[in-house]
Amino acid sequence: MELVLDSEQRQLREAVRELLADHCPPARVREIMGGDEGWDRALWSRLAGLGVAGLVIPEEHGGSGAGHVERCVVLEELGRALAPVPFLASAVLAVDTVLALGDAELSAELLPQLATGELVAAVAVAGDEGTWGSAAHSIAVTRRNGVFALDGHASFVVSGDAAHLVLVYAGTPDGPGWFVVSGEAAGLRTTRLRTLDPTRALARLDFAGTPARAVAAADPAAVLEAVRDRAAFALAAEQLGGLDHVLETTVDYAKVRVQFGRPIGSYQAVKHACADLYSTAEQARSVVRHAAWTADHDPGALPVAAALAQVVLGPGYFDSAAAGVQLHGGVGYTWEHDAHLYYKRAKTSELLLGAPEEQRARLADRLAL
């Protein structure tokens, strides 16, 4: 198993990092935070121009046919910059859902548009409690005059207000199923939620007799779990990027902040705290790269690797972000400094796919199989 990036993967990382440095500085992130849309259309177009939206999409559907390692490289850079783009929603959740469903017609229709970034899609799977898959209880499906219609709501839909199309996990009289809904469908109301993290847009979707297209799946629940596994290590890669930023900025600050005539980084307590940040980041890097490699080369082992990635990165990123705020001292608590943005992203990311205790339970269950 090779956990070191090769030359092409490093070139991809540098290309994305350079683009984000030019077009997504902290001031731009704050500008988008205060805007009405909550995401940067121009930045999304530039990223799509690099081909990153279609990294794991097969070449026959307009993608590059690369692997999950490459996609995680991009996610690390997006997490490092807190880039306000719908990559996690569209290039991860939506793409992986379409691929997992395995519907040839749906793949031919959606994947080429997702690969170019022209189509932004979201996935609605959670109800108000935020539990993965609970939308099957909060959204009911009926059939009226030969047309499927959805009634109910989904919450915490990542980039739901940016989506041209939504893949919905909903309940039917025969059990849960997958449905495709246009972002402009009648009876669909989208409300952007006010959350702790202003850098990631989450939405509530309300359905009132909303027309939908059913997607055949032999086991809709198995598709849901497969998508969750891929989302787990993809989100972990994004968390790793944020953790790396916290580590670098905190160590740099400790070198230049002088107190009592010495840089604070010369004090043993600060040294130990920075060493903890470094060891957490290296452990995190190992589990993320391992999960991405496993998805490409040993998918049968992915359920354990993906669960492990969230067990490590969820609390690891949050604890590191909290330490980063503390080690920056008074300035770390100010609105003007970016430390609080990474703290908020770390906390909401820790809960996005399930609370830490749920992630540990998932890992334990899978190790017991």
Side-chain angles (χ1 to χ4, degrees):
M1 181 188 303
E2 183 58 69
L3 298 181
V4 178
L5 299 181
D6 62 30
S7 60
E8 291 186 356
Q9 291 162 347
R10 291 195 299 272
Q11 289 173 12
L12 173 63
R13 179 183 62 190
E14 293 307 314
V16 175
R17 184 174 297 183
E18 182 178 339
L19 187 151
L20 293 173
D22 290 341
H23 300 286
C24 188
R28 179 59 177 164
V29 175
R30 288 172 177 268
E31 180 184 346
I32 295 298
M33 282 167 41
D36 294 331
E37 286 198 323
W39 65 293
D40 192 333
R41 291 177 181 269
L43 178 60
W44 176 244
S45 296
R46 290 187 173 95
L47 284 166
L50 293 179
V52 300
L55 282 172
V56 302
I57 294 176
E59 292 181 85
E60 61 264 30
H61 291 305
S64 61
H68 289 86
V69 173
E70 286 76 12
R71 189 168 69 176
C72 283
V73 166
V74 175
L75 282 158
E76 286 181 37
E77 296 307 313
L78 297 177
R80 179 190 294 269
L82 298 181
V85 292
F87 190 91
L88 182 65
S90 195
V92 177
L93 292 170
V95 166
D96 288 351
T97 300
V98 174
L99 291 173
L101 284 167
D103 185 289
E105 182 179 346
L106 186 70
S107 295
E109 175 189 351
L110 299 184
L111 290 179
Q113 298 178 74
L114 290 169
T116 63
E118 174 188 356
L119 176 69
V120 175
V123 177
V125 296
D128 287 338
E129 67 274 28
T131 305
W132 188 265
S134 59
H137 304 293
S138 63
I139 304 173
V141 181
T142 56
R143 194 163 189 172
R144 303 170 183 172
N145 300 321
V147 177
F148 289 101
L150 307 186
D151 289 279
H153 66 274
S155 291
F156 308 109
V157 180
V158 181
S159 299
D161 57 340
H164 306 121
L165 176 145
V166 186
L167 296 159
V168 182
Y169 189 67
T172 77
D174 299 320
W178 287 95
F179 297 84
V180 179
V181 176
S182 168
E184 299 179 351
L188 172 61
R189 185 174 80 253
T190 302
T191 306
R192 185 180 176 191
L193 299 174
R194 184 176 181 180
T195 63
L196 175 67
D197 176 16
T199 67
R200 192 196 304 281
L202 300 178
R204 173 185 167 112
L205 306 185
D206 286 280
F207 305 91
T210 306
R213 174 166 41 129
V215 182
D219 189 345
V223 172
L224 182 76
E225 284 303 299
V227 173
R228 188 178 186 179
D229 284 340
R230 282 158 180 76
F233 72 83
L235 177 62
E238 185 190 88
Q239 291 168 304
L240 173 59
L243 200 166
D244 276 338
H245 174 88
V246 169
L247 169 64
E248 293 167 9
T249 55
T250 302
V251 170
D252 288 345
Y253 183 78
K255 291 177 180 178
V256 300
R257 175 68 169 93
V258 174
Q259 187 66 33
F260 303 113
R262 295 167 54 184
I264 62 172
S266 66
Y267 294 103
Q268 190 174 54
V270 176
K271 288 180 181 180
H272 287 175
C274 289
D276 287 342
L277 291 178
Y278 177 78
S279 63
T280 300
E282 290 308 299
Q283 180 189 32
R285 199 175 328 280
S286 295
V287 297
V288 169
R289 298 272 170 83
H290 171 254
W293 182 93
T294 300
D296 288 333
H297 300 283
D298 187 12
L302 181 59
V304 170
L308 178 62
Q310 271 308 301
V311 166
V312 172
L313 265 297
Y317 182 20
F318 175 68
D319 291 345
S320 297
V325 172
Q326 180 73 26
L327 289 168
H328 274 83
V331 71
Y333 288 84
T334 64
W335 176 262
E336 291 75 16
H337 199 279
D338 294 332
H340 72 96
L341 297 179
Y342 288 86
Y343 177 88
K344 292 170 180 175
R345 170 63 70 88
K347 187 58 185 177
T348 56
S349 295
E350 184 183 32
L351 302 174
L352 190 61
L353 300 179
E357 57 271 21
E358 182 181 350
Q359 300 296 343
R360 291 192 293 270
R362 280 170 59 80
L363 177 59
D365 289 344
R366 291 170 175 203
L367 288 172
L369 293 177

